[in-house]
Amino acid sequence: MKVILDQDKCVASGQCVMAAQDVFDQRDEDGIAVLLDPTPPAALAADVRQAVAVCPALAIHIEE
């Protein structure tokens, strides 16, 4: 799994961080999401899929 985050689309809602805190974080200055691990382990796949589902800006995509 490869995670792609489009920071230009991010609206800083923090939903991705709540769903997958080992994969996403937010910048302190503006809250924009930051991708911590673009190729997370399989154990985090469900969390990443949840982050994709709850992102209000549709800024997160997965490539299998």
Side-chain angles (χ1 to χ4, degrees):
M1 164 185 288
K2 180 179 178 185
V3 181
I4 299 165
L5 170 64
D6 185 344
Q7 288 182 319
D8 292 334
K9 288 185 178 179
C10 181
V11 295
S13 72
Q15 297 299 309
C16 59
V17 178
M18 289 191 286
Q21 65 184 3
D22 292 329
V23 180
F24 300 98
D25 198 357
Q26 289 179 280
R27 297 190 303 218
D28 290 335
E29 62 271 14
D30 58 8
I32 297 297
V34 176
L35 187 58
L36 300 175
D37 187 352
T39 55
L44 297 177
D47 292 346
V48 173
R49 283 181 171 66
Q50 179 64 22
V52 172
V54 299
C55 178
L58 305 175
I60 306 166
H61 303 280
I62 298 172
E63 289 181 359
E64 297 294 340

